[in-house]
Amino acid sequence: MRHLHEPFNRRLVLGGLGLGSLAAAMPAWAAGSVKLPLPGGPDERALTTAFPGKGEMILQRTHPPLLETPFSVFDEGVFTPNDRFYVRWHWASIPTEVDAGTFRLKVHGHVEKELSLSLDAIAGLPRFEIAAVNQCSGNSRGLFEPRVPGAQWANGSMGNARWTGVRLKDVLAKAGVKAGAVQVRFNGLDAPVVDEAPDFKKSLDLDHANNGEVMIAYAMNGEQLPLLNGFPLRLVVPGWYSTYWIKMLSDIEVLDKPDEQYWMKTAYRIPDVPGANIKPGQTGFKTVPINRMVPRSFVTNLQDGATVAAGTPVAIRGIAFGGDCGVKTVEFSGDGGATWFPAQLGADEGPYSFRRFDGSLPALAAGTHTVRVRCTNANGVAQPMDRVWNGAGFMQNGIETVSLQAA
Amino acid sequence: MIDIRPAALIAALILSPLVALAAPAPEPMRFTSQSIEMPTSDRIFPDGPGAEAVNNNCLACHSAGMVLTQPKLTKAQWTETVNKMLHVYKAPVDQADVQTIVDYLTALKPTP
């Protein structure tokens, strides 16, 4: 298996000294740039089509890749095309070559029988399919105020796909989970460049792993996964943040005690308060591993600052998702949230999918208007009016605002 | 002797795919091996005191874009980040370079 190592090139560094930051900001293979609404900047990002299997994406980081989906893609349909689906890797040693014939998924640990499954053996198990949103824990981090360190995503580190594969519980049953098992840990083929660094692994409680929805996907939107989205296998944890959706899944370990390694015990923790929402500087809260997603909704047909005709109704459309359950209602407001109107919901693709909404805002008088959109999920949880804040930049789901000029 | 009429045989042959369609067994998934070339970044850090230390220590694990897209951060925030790189992610950074790197990052002026 070939790994991507990008050995540090001293000649390039010495040769490049003195370049201005903007000249050096865009790689030669960039195809234009875009401005993201990141308060205080830097807000310019290259657009790129240079990544294999990917169409035009917003370049957040080349190595290891962080590629954001341009927001206009979300106006085109509720399923995000594979070649526009966002990309996020933690460690720089990523296999750039995966042989479908020799790949094996290992299942081991607290089980009756260790397994080493070929892709064909996995494809021979009962097929399961589910539509589900995959959203980075830090989606929208770049929009936090005050700003916080980390990948500076706007709203495009999310996507929705129809995932096809097998239920995790069927694979675990094949191995035979022993009494006393408590969690299941997942690992993929990517690895840190420095051996002693903590390999990226995540764990789920055994009951969750066996719930019949958590699955091992070998296809998204009817095609095998792009390598950058985790070919050949990816864990799918419907309703939970993407940190658990291990890419290039190659190793499943059943644990008889809770996982205490770095990526569960220290990283990806949230304040144990509703919506993970605290005040800057606040201390004295407990933390828990990030888990279920919360509802969100976005206007996709009108950009912030757009001009619309005064005196005629304004068509509004967008996408919503309930988080860990379906969408109950989407409402929109043309006066900053004082008056709300119900939106029409589009086809129901299942509780974990994006759902289209449409509405018509009553005619606006000439001037500036603040449009807001709010999703309430099937559990009755509504998006909060104000933006969420926490130091890691996780779980943003405050109500989105679009400013319109009626003229 | 069984009398098989050609017409019936042809009908059966034509109909059999329809029978299969009525109760479709999904086609087993077929996988195609993948091999890609990743684009690489030759972006380096803007010139300034300490730039060489940053270029020498940081670019093996991530491209410069990760740093240069960050908002303005305080010295305490950069110290925390650099310490995480050293002590958690085990970046092999020369101890003599640590303060230089923190100072360089703290002095960065994100543009625009």
Side-chain angles (χ1 to χ4, degrees), chain A residues 63 96 98 100 127 150 224-225, chain B residues 27 32-34 36 40 63 70:
Chain A
H63 173 69
T96 54
V98 177
R127 184 175 294 202
Q224 68 176 16
L225 305 172
Chain B
E27 276 283 303
T32 306
S33 297
Q34 288 200 51
I36 65 170
T40 55
S63 46
Q70 295 303 309

Side-chain angles (χ1 to χ4, degrees), chain A residues 15-310:
Chain A
L17 279 177
L19 279 180
S21 64
L22 279 178
M26 299 296 155
W29 37 264
S33 68
V34 65
K35 279 199 186 275
L36 300 176
L38 311 181
D43 58 1
E44 190 173 16
R45 298 289 187 276
L47 289 168
T48 177
T49 55
F51 285 82
K54 292 288 150 182
E56 186 178 73
M57 301 294 287
I58 299 167
L59 182 67
Q60 290 282 8
R61 182 178 69 194
T62 305
H63 173 69
L66 296 178
L67 307 176
E68 176 163 351
T69 302
F71 206 76
S72 60
V73 171
F74 299 113
D75 193 47
E76 293 165 15
V78 291
F79 289 105
T80 314
N82 293 1
D83 68 348
R84 309 303 295 281
F85 214 95
Y86 85 99
V87 170
R88 190 265 187 269
W89 291 86
H90 293 83
W91 290 123
S93 187
I94 302 167
T96 54
E97 194 171 87
V98 177
D99 185 312
T102 58
F103 176 89
R104 294 292 182 273
L105 171 64
K106 188 177 174 191
V107 185
H108 64 115
H110 206 59
V111 295
E112 302 291 347
K113 187 176 78 171
E114 285 197 2
L115 303 177
S116 177
L117 300 170
S118 68
L119 292 177
D120 287 343
I122 291 164
L125 294 172
R127 184 175 294 202
F128 180 66
E129 197 166 89
I130 198 165
V133 172
N134 171 298
Q135 180 182 211
C136 182
S137 307
N139 191 23
S140 317
R141 181 184 291 115
L143 310 175
F144 273 56
E145 288 192 85
R147 299 283 297 275
V148 293
Q152 300 298 319
W153 304 107
N155 291 328
S157 61
M158 62 176 185
N160 185 43
R162 198 183 295 284
W163 307 92
T164 307
V166 299
R167 290 180 180 87
L168 177 60
K169 74 169 186 179
D170 290 347
V171 172
L172 292 176
K174 224 172 138 63
V177 173
K178 284 186 183 169
V182 294
Q183 284 191 334
V184 184
R185 180 157 65 192
F186 307 91
N187 192 7
L189 294 176
D190 55 323
V193 172
V194 182
D195 285 342
E196 306 81 61
D199 196 5
F200 184 68
K201 304 175 194 178
K202 296 295 287 187
S203 297
L204 298 174
D205 286 345
L206 181 63
D207 287 350
H208 187 190
N210 268 330
N211 76 356
E213 288 182 339
V214 177
M215 66 177 289
I216 299 166
Y218 47 68
M220 61 191 279
N221 297 321
E223 303 281 338
Q224 68 176 16
L225 305 172
L227 189 140
L228 286 171
N229 292 108
F231 177 82
L233 299 175
R234 180 170 202 171
L235 193 72
V236 169
V237 188
W240 283 46
Y241 284 95
S242 181
T243 181
Y244 295 97
W245 301 40
I246 295 289
K247 295 181 290 298
M248 290 189 183
L249 176 69
S250 60
D251 188 288
I252 298 176
E253 182 181 5
V254 178
L255 305 177
D256 63 358
K257 48 180 84 68
D259 186 0
E260 301 248 301
Q261 52 93 34
Y262 172 75
W263 295 103
M264 292 300 294
K265 197 177 179 184
T266 308
Y268 285 105
R269 306 278 296 193
I270 55 167
D272 189 15
V273 300
N277 190 15
I278 59 166
K279 292 197 161 46
Q282 187 178 329
T283 55
F285 48 84
K286 283 200 318 184
T287 68
V288 292
I290 193 167
N291 50 87
R292 296 164 178 275
M293 295 198 293
V294 284
R296 299 194 78 172
S297 56
F298 301 90
V299 174
T300 57
N301 69 320
L302 296 168
Q303 289 194 334
D304 191 46
T307 300
V308 297

